[in-house]
């Protein structure tokens, strides 16, 4: 039902072509100072889109986001006893 999405960071030489990148996915953010675009696309299409983007002359490099592959469950998530005591005291 939901499609897995993944972000791509596209580093550009010039921002003139940043608007053209909308046909590859959803443009989330454009940095004018550092000249990069954050682009979201379907996770299964990432490899093909990266190859297409790297072939353009105005693109320096393309970096994928590793957020979908990170473990979001932490092992030591037990609360600290000292902080828990302070909260009960009202400090």
């Amino acid at each position: 039902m939901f499609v897995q999405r993944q972000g791509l960071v596209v580093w550009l030489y010039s921002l003139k072509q940043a608007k053209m990148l909308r046909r590859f996915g959803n443009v989330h953010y454009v940095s004018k100072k550092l000249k990069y675009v954050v682009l979201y696309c379907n996770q299964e299409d990432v490899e093909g889109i990266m190859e297409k983007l790297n072939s353009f002359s105005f693109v320096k490099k393309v970096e994928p986001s590793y957020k979908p592959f990170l473990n979001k469950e932490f092992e030591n998530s037990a609360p600290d006893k000292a902080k828990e005591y302070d909260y009960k005291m009202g400090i």
Side-chain angles (χ1 to χ4, degrees):
M1 187 163 119
F2 291 109
V3 179
Q4 293 292 325
R5 308 283 280 168
Q6 186 171 358
L8 294 174
V9 180
V10 183
W11 295 90
L12 304 172
Y13 288 108
S14 173
L15 289 177
K16 289 182 182 179
Q17 295 85 4
K19 198 172 186 181
M20 196 257 321
L21 296 176
R22 289 189 289 176
R23 67 179 176 155
F24 296 103
N26 295 338
V27 175
H28 181 72
Y29 181 74
V30 178
S31 172
K32 294 180 181 177
K33 185 177 180 181
L34 297 176
K35 296 181 184 175
Y36 71 87
V37 176
V38 178
L39 177 77
Y40 282 95
C41 57
N42 293 341
Q43 195 170 10
E44 60 230 11
D45 302 334
V46 168
E47 294 298 324
I49 291 174
M50 284 179 63
E51 291 175 12
K52 286 180 189 176
L53 291 175
N54 277 324
S55 67
F56 293 129
S57 61
F58 59 88
V59 174
K60 281 185 190 178
K61 65 180 176 179
V62 180
E63 297 175 347
S65 170
Y66 297 108
K67 186 177 178 182
F69 308 113
L70 294 177
N71 189 9
K72 295 173 184 77
E73 297 176 12
F74 302 106
E75 293 177 11
N76 295 332
S77 61
D80 187 18
K81 294 291 183 182
K83 287 182 182 178
E84 188 176 314
Y85 179 74
D86 290 342
Y87 290 136
K88 288 181 182 177
M89 292 294 293
I91 296 176

